[in-house]
Amino acid sequence: MGTGKTKRKHGAHTKIKKYKRKTWLCNRAKDTDQIQDEIEKSVETGKPIAFEYDDDLPGGGQFYCVETGKHFTDAKALADHKKSRYYKKRVKELKEEKYSKDTAEWAGGMSKEILLPAHGNK
């Protein structure tokens, strides 16, 4: 207790690189490709994405947002989340076409173009 020299300064641990990496990884959201794969699998099998009751997850794992990959405590929190800007932006991202290997190679300049000879055939 107190403000003596033995007490750490507020926010001092935020300058530590290990701390930043750990906190970022713990709170990281799923990538859009992972979510698109989950949605495709659920469409193929015909079963919606659902979780069994689990005490470790918020709300027992019963209130899950597929688009953002987050669990919520109750139905009201889930409904409020679906009105948020983050949710709407994520839904828009998921509607875009998934990246493929061909798209990545094209963007990297490794396209398979057939160029015509510079001076013609002689």
Side-chain angles (χ1 to χ4, degrees):
M1 186 150 182
T3 58
K5 291 183 179 179
T6 57
K7 184 163 172 59
R8 290 184 88 176
K9 291 183 180 178
H10 178 70
H13 62 276
T14 58
K15 295 178 182 175
I16 301 171
K17 192 173 185 179
K18 291 178 186 176
Y19 174 80
K20 285 185 177 181
R21 185 177 295 134
K22 182 184 178 302
T23 54
W24 180 77
L25 284 173
C26 291
N27 299 326
R28 186 166 183 255
K30 282 186 177 179
D31 290 330
T32 53
D33 292 341
Q34 291 174 318
I35 294 172
Q36 286 173 339
D37 288 339
E38 287 180 2
I39 293 171
E40 286 176 6
K41 287 179 184 176
S42 68
V43 169
E44 288 175 3
T45 58
K47 296 178 183 176
I49 298 172
F51 290 88
E52 294 180 13
Y53 188 83
D54 187 4
D55 287 332
D56 295 335
L57 296 173
Q62 302 304 304
F63 305 102
Y64 180 70
C65 179
V66 176
E67 290 82 3
T68 56
K70 291 186 175 186
H71 293 276
F72 294 93
T73 54
D74 57 356
K76 185 182 182 311
L78 180 60
D80 291 343
H81 165 72
K82 291 199 175 192
K83 295 177 188 175
S84 70
R85 180 181 295 167
Y86 174 71
Y87 173 80
K88 291 176 183 176
K89 188 184 284 187
R90 200 62 185 275
V91 169
K92 199 174 192 180
E93 288 174 2
L94 289 172
K95 287 182 182 177
E96 293 177 5
E97 187 176 328
K98 194 168 37 166
Y99 288 113
S100 64
K101 185 177 179 184
D102 296 333
T103 310
E105 287 177 354
W106 175 81
M110 296 173 50
S111 60
K112 300 173 185 173
E113 294 182 82
I114 300 173
L115 300 174
L116 298 174
H119 300 289
N121 293 337
K122 291 186 179 182

